[in-house]
Amino acid sequence: MKRPRLSWQPRVKPQPRDCQPEETVSPGRPNLPTLPREIWRKIIAFTVRLAGANSIELDDPFSPPYQHEEYPEVDPGLFEDRRSLARVSSGWRSTVTEMCAEYLAIYSARELKYLVKLLEASEAHKSPSGKRLGEWTTRIDFKILGAYSVPHVIRLLKCTPNLLIYNNKNGPPSSPEKYTPQEVLKALVTFCGSSLRRVEWSGAGEAPRFQDLVQLCNDLPNLVTLRLVAIYSFPMRESDGIPPILLLPKLKTLSLGVIPEPNTPRPEFAVTWDPFLQYASFASGQLPSLERFECDIFPLLTMSFFRVHGHKIRLFRTTAWSAENALPEALGLCPRLYSLVIAQGSETVELPLFHPTLEKICILPTVDVVVGVPQRVFDFAVMAPLDALLKSIEKMTAPHLVELRIRNMGAYLNIVDYATWLGFWWRRWNIRGVHFRDKTGASYQNVQDPSEALLDLVRA
């Protein structure tokens, strides 16, 4: 979805009045309507704000993809619009600056140093809204590939007491080269502990050590979402000590991604989530509020996690290639499951014959990048496994099932060309009263085959 633009030529001189550009109109200046300050603020926000600053919950797989705010793409025109609007007046400049501070994405040590100086300079005075600049910041994404100054990170966190979301993607995304500095984790607790709601490592380059992660999470009483793609190390030696019990009283979402294998294997680095989930399965009270569990590497050796916490889970996501034949047992231990999400590749997966509460199923591709292959290969590697999965779901007795969604994106982008196949399955699900939908929520009922569309044109 294309983002609207709200900018004009920079040669126009800014208006001196705060948020009243309509009172003094110069030639070449747009004649803007008289609106209250609050309305102008909403208009400016729609143009210059980076979505996702308050996305504590992870994206809903049953919502349209254009509503996703986990990792928003930055339109290059965004920065031009920010500069243009900041020139209008001092009031608009203040508003734009505040909105720019809400979501910080830091890509280099140079940017980190600049932001630290900017926020520390603003500590001496408050903006017209009554807040210091750093108090507007609710999300920081660290995406620094090279070296950086740890003291600068600590100084930055000290300036952002209202931080809601901390996301670490430092270092190479697929190579766990080092662990998150303990000083940074302590600063998160000291300066942002009461406000943090979501903590995430979306890359493996600077994954946390297990004992450091436990200490951090236990000191964040309001943590709602935790997402990981790797643990740098688990305690293996006596000198590592015994880590405290992981306690997350308000955690609703636990998301565990695909762990990248290190270039050099290490005994303390686990390539599955079984060790982590074993530590989280001592007692049900460790995760009393858990509702959503995502595990892209199914814990085949830790079914105890489902025995301890399965009765709380409302949404479960996993991958077909890792689950093998374990789903019937796991889903049987989730009697209140509402939504099931399966990332499907060329593998087959076994499903239970019955589930009493399941209402929604979403199938999405393991490969989220569009790759062009010959139709023969696509039929064998994509369509055949997908058809087999639908047949497995059809055999399952789920009295409350109302929606089956296939997200036509990535490797599934071209399934809309198989209109006859989609129509066949739409009729079969329609008989059962199940809505058969695409990624936007639209029905697969009226998908038109491109070859049939061409024939219709010839007939006409």
Side-chain angles (χ1 to χ4, degrees), residues 97-250:
T97 302
E98 291 169 356
M99 292 179 181
C100 292
E102 292 175 353
Y103 185 165
L104 305 179
I106 305 173
Y107 292 88
S108 67
R110 182 179 179 182
E111 291 181 4
L112 173 62
K113 184 177 181 180
Y114 168 78
L115 287 171
V116 168
K117 290 184 175 181
L118 178 66
L119 297 188
E120 287 182 341
S122 69
E123 290 288 299
H125 61 277
K126 295 183 178 181
S127 65
S129 62
K131 287 185 178 181
R132 296 179 179 86
L133 188 59
E135 294 177 8
W136 287 95
T137 303
T138 56
R139 175 170 177 170
I140 303 178
D141 288 6
F142 291 93
K143 302 180 180 182
I144 305 173
L145 186 60
Y148 65 90
S149 169
V150 172
H152 282 162
V153 175
I154 297 173
R155 288 163 59 186
L156 181 69
L157 295 176
K158 185 176 181 181
C159 296
T160 56
N162 299 321
L163 191 67
L164 296 175
I165 303 169
Y166 168 81
N167 180 21
N168 188 321
K169 201 177 181 180
N170 288 338
S174 59
S175 178
E177 292 189 348
K178 57 183 180 179
Y179 58 86
T180 310
Q182 289 180 287
E183 299 89 342
V184 172
L185 301 181
K186 290 179 181 178
L188 281 171
V189 173
T190 302
F191 304 118
C192 315
S194 61
S195 63
L196 273 173
R197 300 293 187 274
R198 172 175 164 183
V199 173
E200 174 174 357
W201 278 265
S202 56
E206 197 176 82
R209 298 187 303 175
F210 178 76
Q211 54 268 45
D212 296 336
L213 177 67
V214 173
Q215 191 64 53
L216 170 69
C217 292
N218 288 357
D219 290 335
L220 299 178
N222 299 309
L223 188 64
V224 174
T225 301
L226 175 63
R227 172 177 274 182
L228 303 165
V229 295
I231 298 292
Y232 181 81
S233 65
F234 286 89
M236 298 285 292
R237 298 172 292 273
E238 291 185 6
S239 59
D240 294 332
I242 300 176
I245 295 179
L246 182 65
L247 296 173
L248 296 167
K250 293 187 179 180

Side-chain angles (χ1 to χ4, degrees), residues 219-435:
D219 290 335
L220 299 178
N222 299 309
L223 188 64
V224 174
T225 301
L226 175 63
R227 172 177 274 182
L228 303 165
V229 295
I231 298 292
Y232 181 81
S233 65
F234 286 89
M236 298 285 292
R237 298 172 292 273
E238 291 185 6
S239 59
D240 294 332
I242 300 176
I245 295 179
L246 182 65
L247 296 173
L248 296 167
K250 293 187 179 180
L251 192 77
K252 293 183 178 181
T253 300
L254 176 61
S255 179
L256 307 175
V258 177
I259 304 173
E261 294 194 21
N263 297 327
T264 304
R266 295 182 285 113
E268 66 274 17
F269 182 83
V271 293
T272 71
W273 290 110
D274 290 284
F276 177 83
L277 294 177
Q278 287 170 7
Y279 278 111
S281 303
F282 293 137
S284 180
Q286 291 180 267
L287 302 169
S289 304
L290 184 66
E291 296 179 358
R292 177 171 176 172
F293 177 50
E294 301 180 354
C295 194
D296 287 342
I297 302 179
F298 192 91
L300 296 174
L301 303 178
T302 318
M303 295 302 291
S304 58
F305 180 86
F306 293 96
R307 297 188 188 99
V308 174
H309 302 293
H311 64 282
K312 314 165 197 171
I313 298 174
R314 302 286 285 164
L315 185 152
F316 175 53
R317 166 180 164 158
T318 192
T319 54
W321 65 267
S322 68
E324 298 181 357
N325 300 322
L327 273 185
E329 181 182 359
L331 298 185
L333 296 171
C334 302
R336 298 179 62 244
L337 188 67
Y338 178 83
S339 302
L340 174 64
V341 182
I342 300 175
Q344 172 74 8
S346 58
E347 309 81 12
T348 58
V349 64
E350 185 178 346
L351 294 172
L353 296 177
F354 173 78
H355 199 282
T357 61
L358 189 61
E359 295 188 15
K360 293 183 177 183
I361 298 176
C362 178
I363 305 171
L364 45 85
T366 303
V367 179
D368 55 6
V369 178
V370 180
V371 179
V373 296
Q375 183 175 349
R376 177 176 58 182
V377 176
F378 186 82
D379 291 344
F380 175 78
V382 177
M383 296 305 297
L386 181 57
D387 189 72
L389 179 56
L390 291 181
K391 290 177 180 177
S392 297
I393 297 173
E394 188 180 33
K395 293 177 183 178
M396 181 173 59
T397 301
H400 294 283
L401 186 64
V402 295
E403 179 178 344
L404 175 59
R405 185 174 297 221
I406 301 178
R407 295 182 70 87
N408 50 316
M409 55 191 295
Y412 287 172
L413 183 65
N414 294 325
I415 67 169
V416 293
D417 295 339
Y418 292 74
T420 303
W421 181 83
L422 290 170
F424 166 80
W425 276 111
W426 177 86
R427 287 188 293 272
R428 295 190 70 85
W429 291 116
N430 188 56
I431 292 172
R432 293 180 55 174
V434 177
H435 298 287

Side-chain angles (χ1 to χ4, degrees), residues 1-56:
M1 184 174 69
K2 194 162 182 170
R3 191 179 59 81
R5 303 293 304 278
L6 183 60
S7 60
W8 48 84
Q9 296 299 322
R11 66 176 180 274
V12 179
K13 295 181 180 180
Q15 302 212 12
R17 297 291 298 278
D18 182 8
C19 293
Q20 299 292 337
E22 72 287 350
E23 293 185 3
T24 306
V25 181
S26 302
R29 188 187 305 280
N31 189 7
L32 301 178
T34 302
L35 294 173
R37 178 186 178 90
E38 293 76 14
I39 301 299
W40 276 118
R41 188 175 182 88
K42 289 183 178 294
I43 295 173
I44 295 172
F46 190 68
T47 306
V48 306
R49 178 174 281 154
L50 187 59
N54 298 301
S55 300
I56 297 172

